[in-house]
Amino acid sequence: MTENLYPAFGILLVDDEPAWLRSLSLTLESSAGITNTSLCQDSRQVLGLLDGGGIGLVLLDLTMPHLSGEEVLKEISERHPAVAVIVISGLNQVETAVRCMKSGAFDYFVKTDEEDRIVGGVLRAVRMMELQRENLEMSSRLVSGELRHPEAFTGIVTGDRSMLALFSYVEAVAKSPQPLLITGESGVGKELVARAAHRLSGCRGKLVTVNVAGLDDTVFADTLFGHVRGAFTGAEQARRGMVEEAADGTLFLDEIGDLSIPSQVKLLRLLQEGEYFPLGSDLPKRLRARVIVATHQDLPAREGTGAFRRDLYYRLRTHQVHVPPLRERRGDIPLLLDHFLEEAARDLGKKKPTPPQGLAQFLSTYGFPGNVRELKAMVYDAVSVHRDRMLSMDSFVKAVERAAPQAGGAPSPAPRQNPFSGFAELPTFGDAAGFLVMEALERAGGNQTLAARLLGISQPALSKRLKMLKG
């Protein structure tokens, strides 16, 4: 199996000295993990290689036979303006550097500069090119609004427009090496979004999930970075960390908002430097995985109180999606209900039951503080005790009644307008009861059984009320 190359576009190294080319190539690979490089010793071949496509960055020497580096730079600027050029020359001349920058060079270095300075300049150019390509990709996909790979989202049952827009965004940024931040309440399906992003990323490695909530600093570092033998008491053997397990794949860190400040510092270094140290080791290892993080916490609020580092927050939010709660996409409830009925019946070895008429309407009146996870639990509980062909609504009603006293801390919809504010005189109790009955029937879609449950009365009592209204 071929190794994934980094970056996604090629980097062409041009110099007539083969020893320098090999040295620079090895330095870029060992210091920055850059492996997608090509070597060229003849400056006359550069434009032909660029015409073939796939090259995004050129590292160019100036003093070469046949065509000088400055001539090649001018030709690249005219024929391939989207290709960035970094000049790495043996000449330390200010006038030459100024001419190159005016001709379109991204940066200028001297071969005698420190390796870290040259590597840093190459990484800056790579990140600039990546951002440019991401912006173009996102613009084209978001404008079209069409998913190229809808199969990646088959695990998420929805027909909501906000969710479909979220899918388009995730598909657009899936191949980006920058972190992806997924926010949303517990139970909305943040891990499913992370799995979809991993499938779309093209990474050949696996998705490694780590829930970091409750991990102290030492356990966090050991879990992510691993340790060498003898790093601490009891470390009799070396252990690979989750970062290494996710190499060439995706590292998904869930509940990132609960990290301690010392652990946040370690994560920030991992993301900024692209390297980490296993516990007890002085030799750094390169980060070779895409990082996706998720949280149900309000990170801006935690950052405002000092509980979350500002620099880490802005590092994580390069790409960000918010998964809306179920109460904001009630149209998905019938779809999810049918999906979970089929799934529960299959898992429990039963025939899929027929839901009672009005069940979806009844569930749509509930706020679901536990979101999709809560709905799934309701369905599994109802199917597990199901006996007849028609599914009983009692299990759902009891679940809602049990949850009602505990839902005080859950987010609630905006308060409804006073229904009597338009009346010059207050209605009588009889009139108010009539208004309440008609509202319940409207919400229940004309289903009297469901309307009676919404009102907390029996169906005979509702029928009596209706007869009184008609009279």
Side-chain angles (χ1 to χ4, degrees):
M1 183 179 292
T2 59
E3 182 181 359
N4 280 4
L5 298 177
Y6 176 76
F9 53 85
I11 299 179
L12 182 63
L13 281 54
V14 184
D15 198 302
D16 61 326
E17 299 178 14
W20 167 256
L21 285 178
R22 288 194 299 270
S23 174
L24 180 57
S25 175
L26 292 173
T27 298
L28 291 175
E29 182 175 358
S30 61
S31 301
I34 293 175
T35 55
N36 195 0
T37 55
S38 302
L39 310 183
C40 177
Q41 295 178 230
D42 190 338
S43 58
R44 294 171 296 183
Q45 300 175 359
V46 172
L47 293 174
L49 293 172
L50 295 182
D51 290 339
I55 303 295
L57 175 63
V58 176
L59 308 186
L60 181 66
D61 184 28
L62 289 185
T63 308
M64 294 181 289
H66 309 301
L67 282 176
S68 70
E70 288 192 59
E71 292 176 294
V72 175
L73 174 60
K74 291 178 182 178
E75 290 289 336
I76 294 175
S77 299
E78 292 176 4
R79 291 173 51 176
H80 299 279
V83 175
V85 179
I86 293 179
V87 174
I88 304 180
S89 172
L91 301 175
N92 189 6
Q93 298 176 352
V94 176
E95 297 83 358
T96 305
V98 171
R99 283 200 309 272
C100 290
M101 300 302 285
K102 287 183 177 180
S103 297
F106 177 81
D107 214 334
Y108 185 101
F109 296 101
V110 180
K111 290 183 178 180
T112 54
D113 286 339
E114 295 181 358
E115 286 184 354
D116 290 348
R117 189 164 180 266
I118 296 176
V119 171
V122 174
L123 284 175
R124 283 194 299 274
V126 167
R127 287 166 184 158
M128 182 201 71
M129 298 294 296
E130 288 175 339
L131 286 174
Q132 288 178 347
R133 291 175 175 230
E134 288 168 20
N135 289 336
L136 289 174
E137 182 76 6
M138 288 174 59
S139 298
S140 63
R141 295 198 183 193
L142 293 178
V143 168
S144 66
E146 295 182 0
L147 292 176
R148 298 181 185 177
H149 299 284
E151 67 279 0
F153 301 95
T154 52
I156 305 176
V157 179
T158 184
D160 187 78
R161 294 180 65 181
S162 64
M163 290 294 290
L164 298 179
L166 182 151
F167 292 171
S168 295
Y169 181 85
V170 170
E171 188 178 64
V173 303
K175 294 183 181 295
S176 169
Q178 301 300 319
L180 171 63
L181 170 62
I182 306 172
T183 60
E185 296 176 11
S186 295
V188 294
K190 297 187 290 294
E191 184 170 352
L192 294 177
V193 175
R195 290 185 180 279
H198 171 67
R199 292 191 196 102
L200 293 164
S201 67
C203 297
R204 66 181 180 88
K206 58 185 177 180
L207 173 70
V208 175
T209 300
V210 182
N211 189 317
V212 300
L215 299 184
D216 63 31
D217 185 51
T218 302
V219 175
F220 172 81
D222 188 33
T223 300
L224 258 65
F225 309 142
H227 61 257
V228 298
R229 183 180 179 182
F232 50 83
T233 303
E236 298 179 356
Q237 292 184 344
R239 190 181 71 83
R240 288 156 52 100
M242 294 297 101
V243 176
E244 191 171 356
E245 289 288 339
D248 298 324
T250 301
L251 177 66
F252 175 48
L253 303 178
D254 201 6
E255 302 300 349
I256 200 72
D258 298 324
L259 270 183
S260 65
I261 294 295
S263 295
Q264 292 177 32
V265 174
K266 290 181 172 62
L267 178 59
L268 179 62
R269 172 178 168 75
L270 175 70
L271 296 175
Q272 285 190 164
E273 306 299 330
E275 64 180 23
Y276 62 97
F277 291 87
L279 294 182
S281 174
D282 295 329
L283 299 176
K285 291 188 175 183
R286 295 296 305 174
L287 169 65
R288 295 168 50 205
R290 168 79 182 282
V291 177
I292 299 178
V293 300
T295 181
H296 72 280
Q297 301 274 13
D298 185 346
L299 290 188
R302 290 182 62 80
E303 182 266 319
T305 61
F308 202 84
R309 290 180 61 96
R310 176 176 298 181
D311 46 6
L312 176 58
Y313 171 60
Y314 285 109
R315 182 70 182 176
L316 292 174
R317 60 168 293 178
T318 304
H319 302 306
Q320 179 177 358
V321 292
H322 178 74
V323 185
L326 185 56
R327 63 182 174 276
E328 293 181 7
R329 45 189 177 103
R330 298 181 188 273
D332 283 344
I333 290 178
L335 300 176
L336 289 165
L337 177 61
D338 183 73
H339 171 76
F340 289 139
L341 283 173
E342 184 173 345
E343 183 181 285
R346 182 175 62 250
D347 291 347
L348 298 173
K350 295 185 175 184
K351 186 177 180 181
K352 180 182 176 182
T354 302
Q357 184 180 6
L359 176 58
Q361 291 94 326
F362 169 71
L363 293 175
S364 67
T365 65
Y366 176 56
F368 281 103
N371 292 292
V372 179
R373 185 184 294 127
E374 183 181 8
L375 174 58
K376 180 178 180 179
M378 281 186 183
V379 173
Y380 267 72
D381 181 54
V383 175
S384 65
V385 298
H386 168 66
R387 293 291 181 271
D388 302 324
R389 185 181 64 84
M390 180 71 72
L391 188 68
S392 172
M393 193 183 289
D394 290 340
S395 176
F396 295 93
V397 174
K398 291 177 181 177
V400 171
E401 290 175 348
R402 285 195 302 267
Q406 305 171 6
S412 57
R416 294 172 61 88
Q417 185 180 3
N418 183 350
F420 306 122
S421 60
F423 290 82
E425 297 181 4
L426 285 175
T428 65
F429 277 109
D431 292 338
F435 294 144
L436 192 58
V437 167
M438 299 310 296
E439 175 70 12
L441 282 171
E442 182 178 347
R443 292 194 182 192
N447 186 308
Q448 293 188 21
T449 302
L450 177 57
R453 291 185 183 276
L454 293 176
L455 292 169
I457 61 177
S458 65
Q459 188 169 352
L462 177 62
S463 298
K464 184 178 179 181
R465 286 280 183 184
L466 290 173
K467 289 178 181 179
M468 291 171 60
L469 288 174
K470 291 178 181 178

